[in-house]
Amino acid sequence: MFPSVRPRRLRTTPTLRRMVRENHLHPEDLVSPIFVVPGSGFAREVSSMPGVFQLSVDKAVEEAREVWDLGVPSVILFGIPEQKDAGATGAWHDHGIVQEATTAIKAALPELVVMADTCLCEYTNHGHCGVIELSDTIGHVLNDPTLEILGKTAVAQARAGADLIAPSGMMDGMVRAIRTALDEAGFTDTPILSYAAKYASAYYGPFRDAAESTPQFGDRRTYQMDPANSREALKEIALDIAEGADMLMVKPALAYLDILHRVKAATHLPVAAYNVSGEYAMVKAAALNGWIDEERVVMETLMSMKRAGADLILTYHAKDAARWLGA
């Protein structure tokens, strides 16, 4: 007890603080998202996400090289096709935009880990994450028909060279369907990072600008999780583990650190956190207005995710964070 016990003794110098620091953040903990579009020589900044761009394949290769040179070992690819349709053809076609970007990036940077987001919302003309009834104006996705398309998409992505498949549609049975499809196609060594606990969050708005994937009607609450639920997240991860997931994701991260902590405690699998677009946009807006110290806020935010249990953090701050960590 005080005065003999004084915790401040271990905070007196920067070196001493580093010596007793409980958690550490490294560039290799980060994954950098990239949005890929058709064309060449194209780079357009996303208005709601300063510093984030829609990139043509050649520009995406340049972005991936910059990420790799900063010590960040992985990117995750999101595709915006030239045309969208009800069958999400651009998602599973061998010449889909993510497949083309994957092949180009792996050719240029074979050691970089390329994750492929495996979802259909960017590719459907209605903006939902699967097959719907033509008469549906609510957004209720037909689960089982969607699984077949997700399996085809995962195989096309693996065939293009994706190192890791990341299904994010929150369909029941999606991990099993994808694992089966990959195994039958000979991709038994391709791991699955499941968006196991993905919530119907208001923090996704800027992403939908970047991916051009806003639902044309209804919303995604019939398949993404209710933000009020936490026990349900443990049920979801248990199901995905049983179906063959190799890694698990909690999305969003910052408003769901309690979920992240509970998921980490419930599994021995690696756990990822997605520091989503709305979280990024708020920090950027405040920093641009001079209201916060961007570097300190970003690093504190990422550390909160690491402290809560994240082994990996998908973040639009990845390049900046890597620079600051290397400074």
Side-chain angles (χ1 to χ4, degrees):
M1 299 294 291
F2 180 85
S4 60
V5 176
R6 293 177 180 264
R8 287 183 57 187
R9 291 172 183 147
L10 299 181
R11 304 173 194 154
T12 53
T13 70
T15 302
L16 191 54
R17 291 194 296 273
R18 287 197 302 271
M19 289 173 62
V20 299
R21 189 162 291 154
E22 298 175 31
N23 293 282
H24 298 269
L25 188 67
H26 305 282
E28 56 263 33
D29 299 326
L30 308 176
V31 178
S32 188
I34 298 178
F35 297 96
V36 191
V37 297
S40 63
F42 181 86
R44 180 171 63 196
E45 189 171 29
V46 180
S47 61
S48 56
M49 299 177 70
V52 174
F53 293 79
Q54 292 180 335
L55 301 170
S56 54
V57 171
D58 56 325
K59 291 293 186 179
V61 172
E62 294 177 10
E63 175 78 0
R65 189 181 302 279
E66 183 178 359
V67 167
W68 176 256
D69 288 345
L70 286 167
V72 176
S74 180
V75 297
I76 183 166
L77 301 182
F78 300 92
I80 301 96
E82 192 167 4
Q83 294 183 328
K84 305 187 179 196
D85 56 47
T89 305
W92 52 265
H93 195 282
D94 282 341
H95 295 289
I97 187 64
V98 163
Q99 285 80 295
E100 291 191 353
T102 297
T103 300
I105 290 171
K106 290 300 293 182
L109 300 158
E111 293 184 62
L112 178 76
V113 172
V114 174
M115 300 183 180
D117 179 76
T118 308
C119 193
L120 308 182
C121 60
E122 300 110 289
Y123 307 94
T124 56
N125 53 13
H126 45 70
H128 282 285
C129 299
V131 178
I132 62 169
E133 294 283 3
L134 294 178
S135 60
D136 188 357
T137 58
I138 298 174
H140 184 81
V141 171
L142 301 178
N143 192 91
D144 295 5
T146 299
L147 297 180
E148 181 180 356
I149 300 177
L150 289 174
K152 290 167 60 178
T153 300
V155 170
Q157 292 169 337
R159 189 182 296 122
D163 298 290
L164 191 148
I165 302 301
S168 60
M170 288 301 288
M171 296 296 112
D172 294 339
M174 68 180 183
V175 172
R176 179 180 178 183
I178 289 171
R179 182 74 272 157
T180 299
L182 289 171
D183 291 352
E184 290 179 350
F187 297 105
T188 55
D189 291 333
T190 300
I192 296 173
L193 165 58
S194 175
Y195 288 63
K198 180 178 178 180
Y199 286 83
S201 173
Y203 283 93
Y204 301 150
F207 173 92
R208 293 173 184 175
D209 292 341
E212 300 179 11
S213 61
T214 302
Q216 299 302 300
F217 49 82
D219 55 44
R220 295 181 178 149
R221 296 181 190 181
T222 66
Y223 42 103
Q224 294 178 356
M225 288 178 56
D226 187 330
N229 293 356
S230 55
R231 293 193 305 270
E232 185 184 10
L234 301 184
K235 178 179 181 179
E236 288 281 6
I237 69 159
L239 289 169
D240 284 4
I241 292 170
E243 291 177 14
D246 301 283
M247 304 168 69
L248 304 166
M249 179 103 77
V250 175
K251 181 181 180 181
L254 190 56
Y256 296 85
L257 294 178
D258 60 319
I259 306 300
L260 179 60
H261 183 70
R262 292 187 69 177
V263 168
K264 182 63 175 179
T267 178
H268 295 295
L269 295 184
V271 176
Y274 201 139
N275 178 207
V276 298
S277 61
E279 298 165 356
Y280 172 88
M282 289 191 298
V283 170
K284 296 298 285 190
L288 288 169
N289 278 283
W291 297 337
I292 60 171
D293 181 324
E294 182 176 0
E295 179 179 345
R296 289 189 63 190
V297 168
V298 168
M299 301 309 287
E300 185 176 342
T301 298
L302 297 178
M303 183 58 76
S304 75
M305 298 165 195
K306 185 78 171 180
R307 191 179 65 243
D311 299 292
L312 294 174
I313 303 171
L314 285 72
T315 177
Y316 305 98
H317 297 292
K319 291 193 300 180
D320 285 337
R323 292 188 187 100
W324 294 327
L325 287 166

